[in-house]
Amino acid sequence: MNAAPSVRPPALRHPMPLKPLALGAALVLGTLFTSGARAQSLVQLYEAARGFDATYLSARSQYDASLAQAAQARAGLLPQAGLGAVASWARRDISGNSALSGSSDSQSATLSASQPLYRPANKLANDQAELSVDIARARLTQAEQDLIVRTSQAYFDVLAAQDTLAFVQAQKTAVAEQLAAAKRNFEVGTTTITDSREAQAQYDLVLAREIAAENDLRVKKLALDQLVGRSAVAPLPLISPVTLPELQPADPQAWVNRTADTHPAILQATRNLEIAELETSKAEAGHKPTLDLVGQYQVARGPSTTLPTAGNMRTNTASVGLQFNLPLFAGYAVQNRVKETLALEEKARNDLEAARRSIDLSTRSAFLGVVSGQGQVKALEAAEASSQSALDANRLGYQVGVRINIDVLNAQSQLFQTKRDLAQARYNVLLSGLRLRQASGALLPEDLQAIDALLVK
């Protein structure tokens, strides 16, 4: 006896009561925001991170310390003053002359001051300190740019995790409807048990993905909350449909040219070279003389050194003059110090060249990343439309008997996977644009305004 065919005639098929899969991310994501007032834009969360992120606040403190440290070098060019005091007691015993024996006490106070007139090393040290202020400012700029990228990364990580969860939940709904339809068709004898088992397997797999997506969303939200110092942060999603901004300028060399003078890393390397050159001049100044203007005023009270029996006397002494010093020989310390600084100067010059090459490479790589991301977005937009058409065709084929249940399930999975990849690709393009500006040294907090304009208000 022959087994019953596994596929029934098309006339006996029952249409599946599937909802349209146009249930896109925008509709599903709308349920994730229970209160529009609680949602924050990227600019708002960045401002919150500026006041809370420990890494950035540490960089600001280091900047303030660097400014104070640089100001210390100016002290070598300014007057110096000091006040000293001495009090002493003495006992004198002279054998055979009691008249000269006895005790005495003395006190003195001295006010001294000096003003450098010619100290080339001090002048060079002050010039170095002024250059170090530019280095401190460039380091703070780098910390600010890093915070912009880290905040944006955490922001879009949450949105991507929300998208993944939304798409998985939408896929679960679609698979559940497919499973229910397969069970009904099996009960009425229009399909085999295989359709139900395939739908059940797909449903169980989607459940596992949903659990993983929920956990990933929690982790991403915790990371964003920790970065901005707030709890239950709800970032605003991108508008739908969204048109990503074009890359301007569209020439990688134009982005590389921006790094010539303004890039924080190049600025630091340039200032380090200038400081190294000044250090060589400062080492050579070890052979040069120094000239200071010095003054002193002293008030002393004590026994007379000429008339011991006259008792304590008060003496006022004032002096002013020039103090000259000329180094003659220091055991070749100056010559060897000059050799050391010349080697360090060459090192700083090579560091500057290495910084330029590294920034050139990173800027061009970031530019290609943006271009590649834009291409991926266009390809995935076409793939989304194709996947939707393929799903519609598989549904129709299933209803008329030329496609089986697994074909519909696979088409559903492909569509939701494409939707998720497309959303992620859009976030990557926006992030890549920020990284390109960071690589070229041109990233500013104002650049986040363009991304904010693409968010749901």
Side-chain angles (χ1 to χ4, degrees):
M1 181 177 180
N2 295 332
S6 60
V7 178
R8 298 290 182 176
L12 298 179
R13 288 271 180 193
H14 292 276
M16 297 181 298
L18 286 175
K19 297 179 181 178
L21 288 181
L23 176 78
L27 296 179
V28 178
L29 284 175
T31 63
L32 297 177
F33 300 97
T34 57
S35 173
R38 289 178 56 247
Q40 297 90 16
S41 69
L42 179 56
V43 171
Q44 291 173 330
L45 293 181
Y46 167 71
E47 292 299 332
R50 276 175 62 95
F52 183 79
D53 181 63
T55 301
Y56 177 72
L57 294 178
S58 174
R60 283 196 63 88
S61 298
Q62 181 61 54
Y63 171 70
D64 295 337
S66 299
L67 294 183
Q69 184 180 16
Q72 296 173 26
R74 185 166 177 76
L77 303 177
L78 299 179
Q80 306 290 321
L83 178 64
V86 176
S88 63
W89 178 86
R91 172 68 183 176
R92 182 172 62 246
D93 291 321
I94 300 177
S95 177
N97 192 345
S98 58
L100 296 179
S101 301
S103 61
S104 64
D105 60 88
S106 61
Q107 303 86 31
S108 67
T110 304
L111 175 64
S112 59
S114 65
Q115 169 63 56
L117 298 180
Y118 180 72
R119 283 187 173 267
N122 291 12
K123 175 62 170 61
L124 293 169
N126 182 67
D127 294 341
Q128 288 177 317
E130 292 177 352
L131 293 175
S132 68
V133 173
D134 292 340
I135 295 178
R137 189 176 296 110
R139 288 173 178 170
L140 181 60
T141 299
Q142 284 184 314
E144 185 178 55
Q145 292 179 346
D146 178 67
L147 180 62
I148 293 174
V149 173
R150 288 191 292 117
T151 304
S152 302
Q153 180 70 67
Y155 187 96
F156 289 122
D157 281 347
V158 172
L159 290 185
Q162 288 176 344
D163 288 342
T164 299
L165 178 59
F167 293 140
V168 169
Q169 289 175 340
Q171 184 179 7
K172 184 180 73 170
T173 301
V175 173
E177 294 171 352
Q178 189 77 15
L179 174 60
K183 289 181 177 179
R184 287 195 302 271
N185 291 338
F186 174 72
E187 290 173 357
V188 299
T190 58
T191 61
T192 65
I193 191 62
T194 302
D195 284 355
S196 297
R197 290 176 177 174
E198 288 174 343
Q200 184 65 55
Q202 191 75 10
Y203 183 79
D204 295 338
L205 181 60
V206 172
L207 284 180
R209 292 175 180 169
E210 182 182 23
I211 295 172
E214 288 175 344
N215 182 70
D216 184 61
L217 177 58
R218 294 189 192 99
V219 172
K220 295 298 191 298
K221 282 189 172 182
L222 284 175
L224 182 58
D225 290 349
Q226 186 182 60
L227 180 62
V228 303
R230 298 182 181 181
S231 59
V233 172
L236 290 169
L238 291 178
I239 57 177
S240 182
V242 62
T243 301
L244 299 179
E246 294 294 329
L247 181 59
Q248 294 294 336
D251 178 22
Q253 187 61 43
W255 287 95
V256 172
N257 292 340
R258 290 185 175 187
T259 67
D261 300 315
T262 61
H263 196 287
I266 291 182
L267 180 60
Q268 290 180 64
T270 302
R271 293 295 181 266
N272 281 327
L273 175 58
E274 294 172 355
I275 289 175
E277 292 172 345
L278 291 175
E279 189 66 24
T280 299
S281 300
K282 190 166 68 173
E284 293 171 344
H287 289 301
K288 296 180 179 180
T290 61
L291 182 63
D292 298 326
L293 175 65
V294 296
Q296 181 175 289
Y297 182 76
Q298 183 183 60
V299 178
R301 180 182 178 275
S304 173
T305 58
T306 59
L307 298 173
T309 59
N312 288 340
M313 300 178 63
R314 174 173 174 172
T315 304
N316 295 344
T317 305
S319 65
V320 62
L322 296 175
Q323 183 174 311
F324 177 82
N325 181 52
L326 176 62
L328 296 179
F329 181 69
Y332 302 105
V334 175
Q335 292 89 334
N336 287 307
R337 174 60 180 161
V338 171
K339 292 180 180 179
E340 177 189 358
T341 57
L342 287 174
L344 293 175
E345 183 180 330
E346 187 62 24
K347 175 184 179 299
R349 190 172 290 106
N350 289 325
D351 289 343
L352 174 58
E353 182 61 27
R356 286 173 175 163
R357 295 176 184 177
S358 175
I359 292 170
D360 183 280
L361 176 60
S362 61
T363 301
R364 294 181 185 276
S365 298
F367 180 88
L368 295 176
V370 176
V371 174
S372 174
Q374 290 175 334
Q376 288 180 351
V377 168
K378 293 180 181 179
L380 287 170
E381 287 174 345
E384 181 185 26
S386 300
S387 297
Q388 183 66 58
S389 299
L391 176 59
D392 295 339
N394 275 281
R395 281 183 187 165
L396 181 61
Y398 181 64
Q399 292 176 2
V400 300
V402 296
R403 284 287 188 269
I404 59 177
N405 190 49
I406 191 62
D407 295 328
V408 178
L409 295 174
N410 289 338
Q412 288 175 349
S413 178
Q414 178 181 332
L415 175 61
F416 287 115
Q417 178 72 25
T418 304
K419 286 179 176 291
R420 189 196 70 176
D421 292 345
L422 175 57
Q424 182 66 64
R426 286 170 175 158
Y427 301 145
N428 289 340
V429 167
L430 295 175
L431 280 171
S432 296
L434 294 177
R435 290 196 174 98
L436 173 58
R437 292 182 177 276
Q438 182 187 26
S440 66
L443 182 60
L444 297 172
E446 292 76 12
D447 294 325
L448 297 178
Q449 296 289 349
I451 297 180
D452 259 26
L454 303 177
L455 302 178
V456 175
K457 299 297 188 290

